Amino acid sequence: MIKNVGFAITGSFCMHKKILKVLRMLKEKEYNVIPIVTDNVFYTDTRFGKSKDFIEEVENITERKVVKTIVEAEPFGPKNLIDILIIAPCTGNTLSKIANAITDNAVTMVAKSHLRSNKPVLIGVSSNDALGKNSENLGKLINAKNVFFIPFGQDDFINKPNSLISDWNLTEKAMAEADKGKQLQPIIISY
């Protein structure tokens, strides 16, 4: 049974407001949520908002300081700190790093240590390149042990034919299935 959720946020900045809703839902359902962010999320201001404001809101919702460094992230696997790791939104950049065992930030470190412990990692993809060069990495992870996806679809197949975004409303259902070692189906949905 899932009680402790690691929630890793990467730099698909246009999705951050939607991810805040997911965090609120998890807290309302009384999950212990530990937020983890990449350097880009922690330090980068964008047209979607200031990083300081976003981090503050994440910390207020979860009632925890964000994990932002590799040193802070390393103990997650060995100390068995979480039952599941959710990476949402997961950019194509992070997708490729996890698929190719690159550990260069807090999110990829927690993913590596969590997978090493044979525990589920649930990915909520948000990438303009998921069906482009990153489709290779998506394919690797769909077939990887203990890696599951929040169902996803093409959000704008006319203007952005390589773009995929997960349906954030399916996060809790996908989490429950991942906890049983199963992928929520269908994995590919229509927007």
Side-chain angles (χ1 to χ4, degrees), residues 175-186:
M175 188 172 75
E177 289 300 300
D179 187 43
K180 295 185 249 181
K182 295 180 180 178
Q183 171 62 53
L184 179 63
Q185 296 292 341

Side-chain angles (χ1 to χ4, degrees), residues 9-13 16 37-44 51 54-55:
I9 304 168
T10 72
S12 184
F13 299 99
H16 284 185
V37 298
T38 61
D39 295 341
N40 284 338
V41 171
F42 194 79
Y43 292 110
T44 306
S51 59
F54 179 72
I55 296 300

Side-chain angles (χ1 to χ4, degrees), residues 125-131 138 152-155 162-166:
V125 69
S126 176
S127 171
N128 287 328
D129 185 42
L131 294 176
L138 182 66
F152 52 78
Q154 290 177 281
D155 55 307
N162 292 334
S163 180
L164 290 178
I165 293 179
S166 286

Side-chain angles (χ1 to χ4, degrees), residues 5-188:
V5 177
F7 201 101
I9 304 168
T10 72
S12 184
F13 299 99
C14 60
M15 289 291 121
H16 284 185
K17 284 193 190 293
K18 292 182 180 188
I19 292 307
L20 291 173
K21 291 179 184 175
V22 175
L23 286 174
R24 283 187 193 95
M25 177 274 299
L26 292 172
K27 282 302 289 182
E28 286 169 8
K29 299 210 174 188
E30 299 186 358
Y31 291 102
N32 177 33
V33 180
I34 302 170
I36 306 141
V37 298
T38 61
D39 295 341
N40 284 338
V41 171
F42 194 79
Y43 292 110
T44 306
D45 295 336
T46 70
R47 65 187 170 108
F48 299 103
K50 296 194 176 299
S51 59
K52 178 181 161 282
D53 296 337
F54 179 72
I55 296 300
E56 187 176 294
E57 193 158 0
V58 168
E59 290 178 342
N60 285 338
I61 292 167
T62 62
E63 300 172 335
R64 297 182 79 99
K65 287 286 191 193
V66 296
V67 173
K68 64 185 181 304
T69 69
I70 289 175
V71 173
E72 294 169 332
E74 194 280 326
F76 274 70
K79 292 191 176 180
N80 200 27
L81 299 177
I82 55 177
D83 302 313
I84 191 168
L85 174 64
I86 300 173
I87 305 172
C90 183
T91 61
N93 185 40
T94 300
L95 197 71
S96 68
K97 289 177 181 183
I98 295 168
N100 292 288
I102 296 169
T103 304
D104 66 350
N105 63 49
V107 171
T108 54
M109 174 55 83
V110 174
K112 173 187 169 183
S113 66
H114 200 64
L115 286 169
R116 183 178 61 216
S117 300
N118 289 313
K119 290 185 159 187
V121 172
L122 179 63
I123 295 176
V125 69
S126 176
S127 171
N128 287 328
D129 185 42
L131 294 176
K133 282 295 284 175
N134 249 319
S135 62
E136 177 182 330
N137 298 311
L138 182 66
K140 282 181 186 179
L141 291 175
I142 285 175
N143 289 298
K145 182 180 177 187
N146 295 321
V147 176
F148 306 94
F149 284 83
I150 299 168
F152 52 78
Q154 290 177 281
D155 55 307
D156 185 357
F157 62 87
I158 293 172
N159 297 309
K160 300 186 308 180
N162 292 334
S163 180
L164 290 178
I165 293 179
S166 286
D167 181 344
W168 310 119
N169 295 319
L170 296 174
T171 303
E172 190 176 24
K173 284 183 182 178
M175 188 172 75
E177 289 300 300
D179 187 43
K180 295 185 249 181
K182 295 180 180 178
Q183 171 62 53
L184 179 63
Q185 296 292 341
I187 190 171
I188 299 172

